[in-house]
Amino acid sequence: MSISLGLQGPCVIARLTGDFDFGSAAEVRDRVTKALDLTQPPLLVIDMQAVSVCDSSGLSVLVYLHKAVTASGGRLLLSGLNGRCKHLFAITALDKFFDIRSTAELAIAELNEEGNSPPFTG
């Protein structure tokens, strides 16, 4: 598993490549969790376009990150789910739990717009 982390505007972008499984789940969780400190509230895009396999360990990390981000008042978007991963999310009903966009670019644009909005003072 390769993990590329970056910052674009107020968004942390995590691009995953390879097998997101028991062997890589802890590293993904640890590295992405540390990167969340870069923005407050955390705005996170996890691009899974190049993920070939995702197992229950990978799903567990994604749920953990979702809870961590939302508990801090932030938002997490997944992007680029392909064949097997898309099917896995559908049969586990996680496609209803997560906000999923077709591309990282769409997800980043959406969160950048939210992150650059003036705070509500009503």
Side-chain angles (χ1 to χ4, degrees):
M1 162 74 47
S2 167
I3 308 161
S4 171
L5 292 167
L7 196 59
Q8 188 169 338
C11 295
V12 173
I13 317 303
R15 296 184 191 273
L16 309 181
T17 303
D19 295 346
F20 191 11
D21 56 14
F22 180 78
S24 61
E27 180 183 6
V28 172
R29 182 193 65 232
D30 294 345
R31 289 188 59 197
V32 174
T33 299
K34 287 178 186 170
L36 293 178
D37 291 337
L38 297 173
T39 63
Q40 286 302 319
L43 300 174
L44 174 62
V45 173
I46 300 178
D47 182 14
M48 296 184 56
Q49 182 176 354
V51 171
S52 49
V53 173
C54 183
D55 70 5
S56 61
S57 299
L59 294 179
S60 177
V61 167
L62 293 174
V63 171
Y64 168 85
L65 291 170
H66 183 274
K67 289 180 179 181
V69 166
T70 56
S72 297
R75 189 152 176 233
L76 180 151
L77 294 179
L78 298 179
S79 67
L81 293 181
N82 55 38
R84 284 185 178 174
C85 289
K86 193 172 192 174
H87 179 71
L88 179 62
F89 275 72
I91 64 172
T92 59
L94 288 173
D95 59 344
K96 308 290 188 260
F97 178 77
F98 286 100
D99 286 330
I100 302 170
R101 301 297 176 265
S102 57
T103 68
E105 291 71 25
L106 287 173
I108 293 165
E110 184 175 330
L111 291 184
N112 275 334
E113 186 174 306
E114 287 180 21
N116 291 324
S117 299
F120 178 72
T121 57

